[in-house]
Amino acid sequence: MSSHAGPSSSQTPSIGPTRHAGAAFLVVVMAVGSIVMWLVSPVAWLWIASRMTDSSQPSLGPYVLVLVGMALTAVVIGKGLGKVNRTHMRLTGRLSDKRETRSWNKSMRGERGRTHDRGVLEQVMAISVSCALVLFGIWFFAFAGSSLPS
């Protein structure tokens, strides 16, 4: 009988070194995908829109293109990152096959059971959004300059 508080080795699935390396690779893929979502995609759509116009006062078209393009690209990348996250969870043995009722569909008086494991993607995205906000703040306050006339 074990006296420690952690999960026993029979409850925690053990993954081999190949699966561990594959899981680490998928975390890197999620990190790169989040960087593409927050940095590469907006810059690419701005570049595409800048090539569509010849003047410094463009019509509404390029702005709509950037807005729609960035939104659609974020949805596509987000769906792809979700698939990579599910693959990571399946590889590490953390993916549950049973459907769970979301918290907003449960009774407030219901039991407070275990929480749903969302995988590594949630942490990767939180870190990437935090880094993007910090880098934007540094750029805005240190390098952007003033757009106000002097």
Side-chain angles (χ1 to χ4, degrees), residues 135-145:
L135 290 173
F136 174 76
I138 291 171
W139 169 81
F140 185 78
F141 292 111
F143 300 110

Side-chain angles (χ1 to χ4, degrees), residues 15-99:
I15 62 173
T18 305
R19 292 180 103 184
H20 186 68
F25 174 73
L26 290 175
V27 171
V28 171
V29 168
M30 286 186 266
V32 170
S34 66
I35 290 170
V36 168
M37 182 188 291
W38 301 121
L39 182 67
V40 176
S41 172
V43 170
W45 282 108
L46 287 171
W47 182 80
I48 290 168
S50 73
R51 297 293 173 207
M52 287 180 54
T53 183
D54 294 329
S55 73
S56 62
Q57 301 294 323
S59 64
L60 188 62
Y63 295 114
V64 171
L65 175 72
V66 169
L67 183 66
V68 171
M70 283 174 46
L72 290 177
T73 304
V75 167
V76 169
I77 293 172
K79 292 282 188 184
L81 288 174
K83 287 183 181 186
V84 173
N85 187 46
R86 283 187 296 281
T87 303
H88 177 269
M89 291 176 69
R90 193 173 302 116
L91 188 66
T92 58
R94 294 169 53 188
L95 186 63
S96 168
D97 289 334
K98 110 179 167 174
R99 290 190 73 130

